[in-house]
Amino acid sequence: MKVKVISVLEDNYMYLVIEEGTRDAVAVDAAVPKRLLEIIRREDVVLRAVLTTHHHWDHARGNEELAKLRPGLRVYGADERIGALTHRVAHGEELAFGAIRVRCLLTPGHTSGHACYFMWEDESPDAPALFSGDALLVGGCGKLCEGTAEQMYASLAGVLGALPKETKVFCGHEYAVRNLKFALKVEPENEIVKQKLAWAKRRDDEDLPAVPSTLQEEFLYNPFLRVAEEPLRKFTGKTDPVEVLRTLCAEKDNFKKPKERPNPQAMLALEWGLLSPFLEKK
């Protein structure tokens, strides 16, 4: 099972999962059809299905176009709002695409109809993969757009936390540096957070993805998976894990990124009046 990590839009990831024996493939969160189809042609594979984690446009907007271009394409998801949906999945439902096995996991919190997809190949020595959308991110979790803290806690601790610790985590966004800066605010003495943040910054500088991580790693530095730990209780002033998570979500929503330094060339152009014609038009 080969996973192609595809960067799209500003900071999204979509994925192409290839069964190397048959050259069949499934896509996860096919937001940009043109880019996906380019890679499908380059890899010389046949797209059999699209798995969509949730209905937000930056994860699902390509479904309709792909369905038109590929008649009979199966589109899976757990929310009727997902475009071109052909199969609504249930929690624990298992799918098969050749040797690739998929377990659908309902993980509400970010949205009410969010699903993650746990994939493996029978008899393979490789670690299984989790496509976690906006439920679990490297160093963080998605905002509570529609769900509750209770739902997110159940999704993270109860559903995803029960998966094998060696599971590789392929999430929906490149937020690693931002998330880990917040994690360092929460646990300033956590050496693993410091190391992971330094690593993520290097990856960012080299324009390389910070995915995949593993569940085992996430439990060491992701504050939203560490809600039972004493430093998290101290930071939030709460003891109940759900209340710790609720407070963390609120703190994260208000966490400000450091202001980016202005582009020197743009500042000179503004100072010399070179941008005046454009500004006047606006």
Side-chain angles (χ1 to χ4, degrees):
M1 188 172 79
K2 175 182 177 182
V3 179
K4 294 287 294 182
V5 179
I6 308 167
S7 299
V8 293
L9 306 176
E10 184 179 356
D11 50 36
N12 277 74
Y13 287 127
M14 63 181 181
Y15 299 97
L16 187 67
V17 186
I18 301 168
E19 194 211 51
E20 296 192 88
T22 62
R23 306 306 292 171
D24 286 347
V26 295
V28 180
D29 286 352
V32 182
K34 182 179 178 182
R35 177 78 173 127
L36 179 65
L37 292 172
E38 286 172 357
I39 292 172
I40 286 170
R41 284 191 288 270
R42 191 172 70 212
E43 293 287 333
D44 192 24
V45 298
V46 178
L47 181 65
R48 297 298 184 188
V50 172
L51 308 178
T52 305
T53 60
H54 59 296
H55 75 281
H56 285 166
W57 73 274
D58 57 330
H59 296 260
R61 73 172 191 171
N63 290 0
E64 288 92 344
E65 184 176 342
L66 282 171
K68 289 177 184 176
L69 293 171
R70 301 293 173 94
L73 182 69
R74 290 169 284 174
V75 178
Y76 294 85
D79 193 321
E80 292 292 346
R81 295 172 291 180
I82 291 171
L85 186 72
T86 62
H87 295 74
R88 186 168 182 176
V89 301
H91 183 65
E93 181 177 350
E94 295 199 357
L95 312 171
F97 303 97
I100 298 174
R101 301 288 184 261
V102 181
R103 184 177 303 139
C104 305
L105 304 171
L106 301 194
T107 49
H110 178 62
T111 66
S112 58
H114 195 288
C116 295
Y117 300 98
F118 178 69
M119 293 193 200
W120 74 97
E121 281 185 330
D122 291 333
E123 315 272 327
S124 172
D126 296 335
L130 174 69
F131 296 88
S132 59
D134 287 3
L136 176 64
L137 304 166
V138 175
C141 72
K143 288 186 177 183
L144 300 177
C145 295
E146 298 173 357
T148 64
E150 286 82 1
Q151 288 176 316
M152 184 64 89
Y153 176 74
S155 295
L156 294 177
V159 178
L160 303 185
L163 296 175
K165 295 298 181 283
E166 69 271 17
T167 299
K168 295 178 181 178
V169 178
F170 295 91
C171 61
H173 289 274
E174 184 50 74
Y175 292 162
V177 171
R178 188 189 318 175
N179 287 344
L180 290 162
K181 284 180 179 179
F182 176 71
L184 189 60
K185 176 185 177 183
V186 175
E187 290 191 89
E189 304 305 317
N190 188 325
E191 292 299 323
I192 298 175
V193 172
K194 294 176 185 177
Q195 293 168 15
K196 187 69 176 182
L197 175 57
W199 174 86
K201 285 179 175 177
R202 289 196 298 272
R203 298 289 288 184
D204 190 53
D205 288 343
E206 296 168 9
D207 200 24
L208 294 171
V211 294
S213 63
T214 68
L215 273 180
Q216 186 170 22
E217 292 170 352
E218 292 296 323
F219 274 97
L220 298 176
Y221 54 67
N222 189 325
F224 298 91
L225 289 176
R226 295 173 53 77
V227 292
E229 302 293 329
E230 182 56 35
L232 280 295
R233 294 180 177 186
K234 182 179 178 182
F235 177 81
T236 60
K238 309 291 183 182
T239 55
D240 178 75
V242 172
E243 293 306 315
V244 172
L245 189 139
R246 191 192 316 278
T247 304
L248 282 175
C249 287
E251 290 282 342
K252 180 64 166 56
D253 288 346
N254 294 322
F255 183 66
K256 303 297 183 185
K257 292 187 294 181
K259 289 185 178 179
E260 294 183 2
R261 296 176 63 184
N263 181 287
Q265 288 82 7
M267 291 304 294
L268 280 173
L270 185 63
E271 184 178 337
W272 294 342
L274 299 178
L275 299 180
S276 298
F278 300 100
L279 296 174
E280 287 168 4
K281 286 180 183 178
K282 291 187 176 182

